[in-house]
Amino acid sequence: MSMKASAVAPANIAFIKYWGKKDESLRLPENGSISINLNNLQTTTTVEFLPSLQKDSIIINGQQNLSEIERVIKHLDLIRKIAKLDYKAKVVSVNNFPSSVGLSSSSSGFASLTLAATAASGLKLSEKKLSIIARQGSGSACRSIPNGFVEWRKGNSSGTSYARSIYSQDYWDIVDVVTIVSVKKKIISSTQGQTLAKTSPFFKTRLLNIEDKIAKIKKLIAVKNFSDFGKLIEEEALELHAVMLTSSPPLIYWLPETLKIMRLVEDWRRQGLEVFFTINTGQDIHLIIENKNLDRLIKQLKKVKEVKIIINHPAKGARLTDNHLF
Ligand code: PMV
């Protein structure tokens, strides 16, 4: 019997962000988060377990980067333990977008790895179990397992910290126009950055208010109030970066071009175009807009020479595919 499987998973963008861990190794978050999956930022991963292999062979985007490989092997070990399997694996993984620039390639990467590796090992797991396993590879990856609009409840143990779908991908026609201002790789990964959260004097205040914020955003999504939703997600992104900027050592992820887009978003809004931004650990910026206004935004973005864009609609979560990479 072949022990090979492939999976495709979307990256996701969080509207309420995950930042800071209660438990480093289990990746239990300090707070819950809310996101959508993105249909045009995808990772495909093929995994095959082979009795003949002496060691794991891992190729990510055509390369063998040591720190990435170590993290993947750790994740394979977790899955091998659950499946009671000791074969080594061949893993090939490709993104259809640039990685390590703040586009959450670790979310799509670990979600697709989780689904492909568990299926290849013969496990048939529930969405909840897959989300729990994906979380241990990269926190945000747990949100790339379920469909559409997703909530990750923080939980208080490994078995209670997972993501579930709150609405399907067709629920609300909002668009995330990813605006790539530079493909320069970030120096500090989010995994490293997360460990600094507690050093910011503002982190405690953030946690005091975050439950209310989550309740508020869920209400705004429920009634599809785009204006208040947009305002809230922009404030949330800036709050996250206020925590990062005031960490010790400080985390400065923005480039001058990032700030330029933020100012343009303000200008466009003043001119009556309702668009809002959100941003993760990187220089690239996500512009959130209702589909009916997308063409107007694209017209404006075409005037900004130095940017490339990727248009994303809300998407399904991770799924198996027969299109194997080897
Ligand atoms: O899953 P990680 O460790 O790559 O952290 C993701 C952190 C943010 O992207 C900044 C926020 C989020 O919720 O996706």
Side-chain angles (χ1 to χ4, degrees):
M1 196 190 84
S2 155
M3 295 192 85
K4 179 175 182 173
S6 298
V8 182
N12 66 73
I13 181 70
F15 297 130
I16 303 296
K17 314 283 189 186
Y18 145 57
W19 196 245
K21 278 171 270 190
K22 262 192 316 226
D23 184 309
E24 281 295 327
S25 63
L26 283 174
R27 294 180 195 266
L28 295 178
E30 290 278 7
N31 63 275
S33 49
I34 305 278
S35 62
I36 53 167
N37 290 323
L38 303 172
N39 74 327
N40 279 321
L41 299 185
Q42 286 190 339
T43 303
T44 305
T45 302
T46 298
V47 177
E48 183 168 23
F49 289 102
L50 288 161
S52 56
L53 281 179
Q54 299 298 312
K55 58 180 194 147
D56 293 315
S57 150
I58 291 149
I59 301 172
I60 302 168
N61 293 316
Q63 287 177 347
Q64 294 185 303
N65 171 316
L66 269 186
S67 65
E68 283 179 351
I69 287 177
E70 259 175 41
R71 216 167 141 188
V72 169
I73 292 179
K74 211 170 148 214
H75 204 60
L76 288 172
D77 286 343
L78 172 68
I79 291 166
R80 280 189 278 249
K81 202 169 144 200
I82 299 168
K84 299 189 175 66
L85 179 77
D86 57 12
Y87 294 169
K88 299 294 181 197
K90 178 172 177 188
V91 177
V92 175
S93 188
V94 288
N95 292 341
N96 70 346
F97 62 94
S99 48
S100 301
V101 292
L103 298 181
S104 297
S105 55
S106 64
S107 66
S108 49
F110 279 95
S112 60
L113 175 67
T114 300
L115 184 56
T118 52
S121 73
L123 293 168
K124 279 203 183 76
L125 301 177
S126 64
E127 183 181 280
K128 172 178 161 180
K129 289 239 168 71
L130 287 168
S131 180
I132 289 170
I133 297 172
R135 187 202 75 229
Q136 293 170 73
S138 186
S140 55
C142 78
R143 296 188 311 241
S144 291
I145 298 286
N147 289 337
F149 291 70
V150 172
E151 176 173 20
W152 173 12
R153 296 222 187 125
K154 66 175 178 175
N156 51 22
S157 60
S158 192
T160 53
S161 187
Y162 59 94
R164 63 186 181 98
S165 178
I166 50 174
Y167 297 102
S168 83
Q169 57 281 3
D170 308 318
Y171 170 72
W172 194 10
D173 222 357
I174 56 172
V175 186
D176 175 1
V177 180
V178 168
T179 305
I180 301 175
V181 300
S182 161
V183 287
K184 216 163 115 187
K185 298 227 182 237
K186 61 190 176 198
I187 300 163
I188 303 194
S189 71
S190 26
T191 297
Q192 284 171 289
Q194 298 253 12
T195 62
L196 301 176
K198 287 187 185 76
T199 65
S200 164
F202 302 134
F203 188 57
K204 274 202 190 101
T205 312
R206 169 171 169 76
L207 292 184
L208 277 181
N209 299 322
I210 201 91
E211 295 288 342
D212 283 352
K213 225 193 228 187
I214 292 170
K216 202 166 160 193
I217 200 147
K218 283 171 74 177
K219 272 192 203 135
L220 293 171
I221 297 173
V223 297
K224 300 185 183 171
N225 178 341
F226 187 71
S227 307
D228 290 350
F229 167 81
K231 197 165 162 264
L232 187 63
I233 66 167
E234 210 172 273
E235 285 168 5
E236 160 66 0
L238 290 169
E239 182 180 290
L240 171 80
H241 282 267
V243 169
M244 291 169 176
L245 288 166
T246 51
S247 293
S248 175
L251 293 167
I252 307 173
Y253 284 111
W254 302 347
L255 290 179
E257 294 81 1
T258 315
L259 203 53
K260 179 177 166 181
I261 301 289
M262 289 179 182
R263 302 310 282 263
L264 279 171
V265 164
E266 272 186 334
D267 289 348
W268 294 332
R269 259 201 320 261
R270 232 175 276 124
Q271 293 158 20
L273 179 61
E274 255 203 321
V275 54
F276 300 91
F277 67 78
T278 183
I279 176 165
N280 288 344
T281 45
Q283 63 268 13
D284 294 332
I285 176 158
H286 296 247
L287 304 183
I288 311 297
I289 191 152
E290 287 171 293
N291 198 24
K292 62 176 189 206
N293 291 326
L294 179 61
D295 290 347
R296 277 177 72 197
L297 176 64
I298 293 172
K299 221 182 251 167
Q300 293 293 349
L301 280 165
K302 279 200 177 132
K303 294 186 208 157
V304 191
K305 278 200 296 299
E306 59 270 35
V307 303
K308 273 211 191 96
I309 61 169
I310 304 174
I311 296 168
N312 291 281
H313 296 270
K316 275 190 172 173
R319 59 215 171 264
L320 291 167
T321 170
D322 291 333
N323 295 329
H324 302 303
L325 295 174
F326 60 87

